[in-house]
Amino acid sequence: MTFNVRPHRQPSGGSARDLVYARLREQILSLELPPGAALSEQESALAFQVSRTPVRESFLRLAQEGLVQVLPQRGTFVSLIDAELVEEARFMREQLEAAVVRLACEKFPPEALKALDDNLLEQKTSMKREDERELFGLDEAFHRVLFEGCGKRNTWQVIQQMNAHLNRSRLLRLVTAHEWDHLYEQHERMARAIRERDADEAERTMREHLRRGISDMEQLRQSYPQYFKQGE
Amino acid sequence: MTFNVRPHRQPSGGSARDLVYARLREQILSLELPPGAALSEQESALAFQVSRTPVRESFLRLAQEGLVQVLPQRGTFVSLIDAELVEEARFMREQLEAAVVRLACEKFPPEALKALDDNLLEQKTSMKREDERELFGLDEAFHRVLFEGCGKRNTWQVIQQMNAHLNRSRLLRLVTAHEWDHLYEQHERMARAIRERDADEAERTMREHLRRGISDMEQLRQSYPQYFKQGE
DNA sequence: ACTACCACACTTGTATGGTAGTATGGAAGT
DNA sequence: ACTTCCATACTACCATACAAGTGTGGTAGT
């Protein structure tokens, strides 16, 4: 098995449904379609130049992921950000990643470890170029390699779904350069812990790593209270 | 907030789509529709006396949950059991439940604790009546109360989805009376650990609790190799 | 001014016809 | 006997028409 260090691009089917779904998802996660915004099968169908059927099927899929809410005979709306749901997504991710990084300390393929090292190098150069988009992708790739190295590919998929809700509350991924320094250092510590099979250190670092940015949500909530569920 | 001790019935919308979805899901999980079986929009539509649209939408939802596989222009098939996926589902559940039961040892509403006790009583009477179906529901309710007591309702929902894959490999939930004794004893130990705030004991018991029945899959795999993915 | 009512313009849910791609079995050619 | 090709009967995908429920604004009646 090989481990791709580069950011991952999922094989989005060329069907109209998948295209509409992917585009809508982007717009929702980037807040281009803000929480609470009304969608319409007809309107989206016109915009994408397809019929209602693929649009409708996209809506259903988004609804299942909790990104939109379909109210029969009333309308479809971008879901308000549910603080409880976001916190639980973070909670779940923390537990799963903590367990996986422990696993990695017990048994981790050398190729995967090499992939982590390569990834760290790329992170360093991207930091110098201040390419935040690339950094975001590399961060994601780092964690993905961790899961794939432990044979937990499906678990990673589940986490990816949860990330949808996390990302939407993370101020559009805008992290300061200083933050990236900190994140990079944590990544390095984790890679070292895995190499030295120090499970406790690895788990501690991972939990700390994933607890950052909780305040982002509170900040977003204060700036845009109308984006959030249940006012208080 | 109140905690319902009884098995939980989800508010399945009365729409044709939801009905078809629920029925198909049952049939798949009970192996009435065996892994590998071919489905057809037309055929199912006839069987359920609805048009192809709600059937098709059910298929898409089942596909997203990984219970069926849609091959464009070829057909829709009940997914083969993916041993790797099943094991990962068990893994995820173990991590999440372990973390939650630790949480419960720190902070757990008295009403929820009472609900656990009531549930244990009902389990006892159901065991005497050898009502396995009821026992299964009560087991599920026990764990649900644990999550709700910790304010992790959404996490429980995620676990429920994973259970779909777990259950299909668990020989139709048929557990011997002796097994139920063991499970009951573990439930009791967890409730006691929560009351006494013994997080280590609670976590240990939970992990043990969730590691049971791994051999079920191997057994099913030997009896029905054609139900499993990748032949070896 | 106020209320009750109703037509109408929306919404999603469901039914159905047409399109294009795929598998298959039988016929024709070697 | 074996291979090649093609008609045919499927499949899911998409477009479109109709049904049924909901919100709203205007209007008639008080």
Side-chain angles (χ1 to χ4, degrees), chain A residues 21 24 28 39 55-71 76-79 85 161 165, chain B residues 17 61 64:
Chain A
Y21 164 77
L24 284 176
I28 292 173
L39 294 179
V55 171
R56 172 179 174 74
E57 291 172 351
S58 299
F59 282 12
L60 289 174
R61 183 163 172 191
L62 291 168
Q64 198 179 342
E65 294 179 4
L67 290 175
V68 308
Q69 193 170 6
V70 177
L71 304 177
T76 300
F77 306 87
V78 178
S79 297
L85 178 61
Q161 279 226 79
H165 294 278
Chain B
R17 176 180 62 236
R61 184 164 172 190
Q64 199 180 341

Side-chain angles (χ1 to χ4, degrees), chain B residues 65-82:
Chain B
E65 294 180 5
L67 291 175
V68 306
Q69 192 170 7
V70 176
L71 305 176
Q73 273 66 24
R74 299 214 277 169
T76 300
F77 306 88
V78 178
S79 297
L80 296 177
I81 298 177
D82 181 343

Side-chain angles (χ1 to χ4, degrees), chain A:
Chain A
M1 196 196 309
T2 68
F3 295 90
N4 190 357
V5 191
R6 309 286 308 166
H8 188 73
R9 197 153 303 286
Q10 72 174 352
S12 60
S15 73
R17 175 179 62 235
D18 292 346
L19 285 173
V20 171
Y21 164 77
R23 184 79 191 96
L24 284 176
R25 188 174 199 269
E26 274 179 39
Q27 292 183 342
I28 292 173
L29 294 190
S30 68
L31 302 192
E32 190 179 332
L33 284 173
L39 294 179
S40 153
E41 294 179 359
Q42 184 70 41
E43 195 178 327
S44 294
L46 237 70
F48 289 107
Q49 295 281 14
V50 296
S51 82
R52 271 183 55 209
T53 304
V55 171
R56 172 179 174 74
E57 291 172 351
S58 299
F59 282 12
L60 289 174
R61 183 163 172 191
L62 291 168
Q64 198 179 342
E65 294 179 4
L67 290 175
V68 308
Q69 193 170 6
V70 177
L71 304 177
Q73 272 69 30
R74 303 217 288 173
T76 300
F77 306 87
V78 178
S79 297
L80 296 178
I81 298 177
D82 181 342
E84 191 175 304
L85 178 61
V86 172
E87 163 51 22
E88 284 192 56
R90 196 208 55 75
F91 169 81
M92 289 187 258
R93 179 166 184 188
E94 178 186 326
Q95 310 313 325
L96 297 178
E97 295 238 25
V100 162
V101 83
R102 282 198 86 91
L103 268 186
C105 288
E106 292 174 18
K107 181 169 171 297
F108 203 63
E111 315 93 71
L113 193 51
K114 169 126 183 13
L116 288 188
D117 288 337
D118 292 349
N119 178 285
L120 286 177
L121 280 179
E122 290 211 49
Q123 282 192 42
K124 225 166 195 169
T125 70
S126 291
M127 276 172 63
K128 277 179 189 161
R129 297 212 322 274
E130 295 188 0
D131 187 341
E132 300 194 352
R133 196 166 179 76
E134 180 78 5
L135 269 169
F136 195 86
L138 287 169
D139 175 276
E140 202 171 275
F142 183 91
H143 290 264
R144 177 168 49 77
V145 170
L146 228 49
F147 280 81
E148 291 185 353
C150 295
K152 301 291 182 197
R153 204 178 298 263
N154 298 292
T155 307
W156 175 247
Q157 295 289 342
V158 172
I159 288 191
Q160 283 295 85
Q161 279 226 79
M162 293 175 183
N163 262 339
H165 294 278
L166 281 175
N167 285 337
R168 202 160 59 134
S169 70
R170 218 179 274 160
L171 290 181
L172 299 191
R173 319 167 167 184
L174 291 182
V175 186
T176 65
H178 175 61
E179 277 284 342
W180 280 117
D181 281 350
H182 191 75
L183 295 180
Y184 173 79
E185 197 252 343
Q186 289 177 325
H187 284 154
E188 208 170 33
R189 266 167 62 193
M190 283 191 271
R192 184 167 52 241
I194 291 171
R195 201 186 323 273
E196 299 172 357
R197 303 188 178 282
D198 185 346
D200 289 335
E201 163 72 2
E203 176 178 350
R204 200 179 323 124
T205 306
M206 177 62 87
R207 290 193 187 268
E208 198 182 326
H209 185 61
L210 293 176
R211 276 176 186 163
R212 85 215 181 306
I214 316 181
S215 56
D216 284 1
M217 188 170 65
E218 213 40 55
Q219 198 176 332
L220 185 61
R221 189 174 196 158
Q222 299 222 344
S223 305
Y224 304 95
Q226 74 275 22
Y227 286 0
F228 285 81
K229 201 171 165 184
Q230 48 187 355
E232 76 277 295

Side-chain angles (χ1 to χ4, degrees), chain B:
Chain B
M1 198 199 310
T2 67
F3 295 89
N4 190 356
V5 191
R6 308 287 307 169
H8 189 71
R9 197 152 305 286
Q10 71 175 354
S12 62
S15 74
R17 176 180 62 236
D18 293 345
L19 286 174
V20 171
Y21 164 78
R23 185 79 191 97
L24 283 175
R25 188 174 199 269
E26 273 179 39
Q27 292 183 341
I28 291 173
L29 294 190
S30 69
L31 303 190
E32 189 179 333
L33 283 173
L39 294 179
S40 152
E41 293 180 1
Q42 183 71 45
E43 196 177 325
S44 294
L46 236 69
F48 289 108
Q49 294 281 13
V50 295
S51 82
R52 282 167 18 231
T53 304
V55 171
R56 172 179 171 75
E57 292 175 350
S58 298
F59 283 9
L60 289 174
R61 184 164 172 190
L62 290 167
Q64 199 180 341
E65 294 180 5
L67 291 175
V68 306
Q69 192 170 7
V70 176
L71 305 176
Q73 273 66 24
R74 299 214 277 169
T76 300
F77 306 88
V78 178
S79 297
L80 296 177
I81 298 177
D82 181 343
E84 191 174 305
L85 178 61
V86 172
E87 163 52 23
E88 284 192 56
R90 195 209 55 75
F91 169 80
M92 290 187 256
R93 179 166 183 187
E94 178 186 326
Q95 310 313 324
L96 297 177
E97 294 238 26
V100 161
V101 82
R102 283 196 86 91
L103 268 185
C105 289
E106 291 174 20
K107 183 169 170 297
F108 203 64
E111 315 93 70
L113 193 53
K114 167 119 182 20
L116 287 187
D117 288 337
D118 292 350
N119 178 285
L120 286 177
L121 280 179
E122 290 211 49
Q123 283 192 42
K124 223 164 195 168
T125 69
S126 291
M127 277 171 63
K128 277 180 191 161
R129 297 211 322 273
E130 294 188 0
D131 186 341
E132 300 194 353
R133 196 167 180 74
E134 180 78 4
L135 268 169
F136 194 86
L138 287 169
D139 175 277
E140 202 170 274
F142 184 90
H143 289 264
R144 178 169 49 77
V145 170
L146 227 49
F147 279 80
E148 291 185 353
C150 294
K152 301 291 182 199
R153 202 178 300 261
N154 298 291
T155 306
W156 175 246
Q157 296 289 340
V158 172
I159 287 190
Q160 284 294 86
Q161 279 224 79
M162 295 176 180
N163 262 339
H165 295 277
L166 282 175
N167 286 337
R168 201 161 58 136
S169 70
R170 217 180 272 160
L171 291 180
L172 300 193
R173 317 166 168 183
L174 290 182
V175 185
T176 65
H178 175 60
E179 277 285 342
W180 280 117
D181 280 350
H182 192 75
L183 295 180
Y184 173 79
E185 197 252 342
Q186 289 176 324
H187 283 154
E188 208 169 33
R189 266 166 63 193
M190 285 190 269
R192 183 168 51 241
I194 291 170
R195 200 187 322 274
E196 297 173 359
R197 303 186 178 283
D198 185 346
D200 290 335
E201 162 74 2
E203 176 178 349
R204 198 179 326 124
T205 306
M206 176 63 87
R207 289 192 188 268
E208 197 182 327
H209 186 62
L210 293 176
R211 276 175 187 163
R212 83 213 183 305
I214 316 181
S215 55
D216 285 1
M217 189 170 64
E218 215 38 55
Q219 198 177 333
L220 185 62
R221 188 173 197 159
Q222 300 223 343
S223 306
Y224 304 95
Q226 74 275 22
Y227 285 0
F228 284 82
K229 201 171 165 184
Q230 46 189 351
E232 82 277 292

